[in-house]
Amino acid sequence: MTFNIWTFLFEIVNFVVLAYILHRVLYRPLRAAIERRRAAIAQAQADAEKARDEALAMQKQLESQLADTERQRHEALQKTRELAEAERQRLIAEAEKVVERRQEDARAAIERQRQDSLKSLRAEVNAAAAELAERLLREAAGTSLQQQLARRLVDSLTTLPETERARVRNDWKASDGAVVETAAALDSTSLEEINRAVEAVVGQKVKLAVETRPALVAGARLRIGGRLWDASLAGQLEALRAAGANNRNHG
């Protein structure tokens, strides 16, 4: 085979032209496409890294929020337990106070009932004693007891304070008179003593009116104007009954 230099040169020129055409037409666009692909891959990788970092950050934030939520839930439960315990203690304390008040009220009611029973019993005993005393005194009343009680009436008048005597004298008029009521007839000596005692009180002569009242049981009762001196057994028994009735009323 004969070597032709011109053919060789022509082949070289063709190769160079082809290489130039390939470089101009295919290599640059292909390289640009490769570079764009590489840039896109790098960008995608960067975006993926960023997304992963954001996901990790979000995960940590969620974990932190979950931890805060759990802590708040625990605190709320603890506070609820404390409030419930405080409310329980308050209710128990109030219940104890109510029970204590009711016990005190019950004790007070029992004590009032006891006092009322005692007062009622005392009143009944006083009434029974007064009735018994009245019956016995009616049976035992005699001249001696009648004179003793008349003497007590005289003593009441003679021992009257001067200020009281002055009031009696100022208030009394002769027209008012003086009345002595007796359970039984008095002897003349007793009547004279009473009359003198009355005259000493009013400071002048007095005509003494005498009335017999068996209801007085024994003794005598004197009326001067609007004043009364009672030395009768009926008066003492009436005072005893009044004391019993007063005890019942104040009970």
Side-chain angles (χ1 to χ4, degrees):
M1 181 175 178
T2 304
F3 175 76
N4 190 335
I5 186 66
W6 295 107
T7 303
F8 176 72
L9 291 174
F10 180 76
E11 293 290 338
I12 292 175
V13 171
N14 287 335
F15 176 76
V16 170
V17 171
L18 180 60
Y20 177 77
I21 291 172
L22 290 175
H23 181 270
R24 294 287 296 182
V25 176
L26 295 178
Y27 179 72
R28 283 185 178 180
L30 182 60
R31 183 176 179 182
I34 292 172
E35 288 297 330
R36 286 195 301 271
R37 181 64 178 172
R38 184 180 298 165
I41 292 172
Q43 183 64 36
Q45 186 175 1
D47 292 342
E49 290 290 334
K50 183 179 179 180
R52 185 177 65 82
D53 294 340
E54 291 177 351
L56 290 174
M58 185 176 293
Q59 182 181 2
K60 289 181 180 180
Q61 184 178 3
L62 289 174
E63 290 176 352
S64 177
Q65 291 177 352
L66 286 174
D68 290 340
T69 302
E70 182 64 22
R71 178 180 56 79
Q72 292 174 1
R73 186 183 69 84
H74 179 73
E75 291 177 353
L77 287 174
Q78 183 64 25
K79 187 174 182 179
T80 301
R81 292 192 190 98
E82 292 174 355
L83 290 175
E85 179 63 20
E87 181 67 13
R88 187 179 71 87
Q89 293 296 331
R90 185 184 67 81
L91 292 175
I92 291 174
E94 288 182 355
E96 290 176 349
K97 289 180 180 179
V98 170
V99 171
E100 185 177 355
R101 281 198 303 269
R102 289 181 177 175
Q103 289 177 345
E104 291 177 356
D105 293 342
R107 286 194 292 268
I110 292 172
E111 180 62 21
R112 285 194 300 270
Q113 291 177 357
R114 189 180 70 85
Q115 293 295 333
D116 292 343
S117 298
L118 287 175
K119 290 178 181 178
S120 178
L121 181 60
R122 290 193 194 100
E124 292 176 1
V125 169
N126 288 337
E131 292 177 1
L132 178 61
E134 181 177 0
R135 188 176 73 251
L136 294 175
L137 289 172
R138 284 184 183 278
E139 294 174 357
T143 303
S144 177
L145 179 60
Q146 182 75 5
Q147 292 175 349
Q148 290 177 9
L149 292 174
R151 183 62 194 171
R152 181 179 295 179
L153 178 60
V154 172
D155 291 341
S156 298
L157 294 172
T158 55
T159 59
L160 197 65
E162 188 58 36
T163 54
E164 183 66 19
R165 287 172 179 264
R167 280 196 291 269
V168 172
R169 290 172 185 173
N170 291 333
D171 296 340
W172 184 80
K173 293 178 294 188
S175 58
D176 293 337
V179 179
V180 60
E181 301 172 351
T182 66
L186 290 173
D187 61 277
S188 58
T189 302
S190 298
L191 287 174
E192 289 177 2
E193 290 179 350
I194 294 173
N195 198 10
R196 284 196 299 270
V198 171
E199 291 176 350
V201 170
V202 300
Q204 57 183 291
K205 291 289 184 178
V206 177
K207 184 177 180 180
L208 190 64
V210 180
E211 297 179 359
T212 302
R213 296 188 181 278
L216 297 179
V217 183
R221 191 162 59 186
L222 174 67
R223 297 180 185 275
I224 301 177
R227 288 178 170 78
L228 175 68
W229 286 265
D230 196 337
S232 67
L233 289 180
Q236 297 179 25
L237 293 172
E238 185 61 29
L240 182 60
R241 292 191 185 94
N246 186 59
N247 287 336
R248 284 197 298 271
N249 293 334
H250 286 81

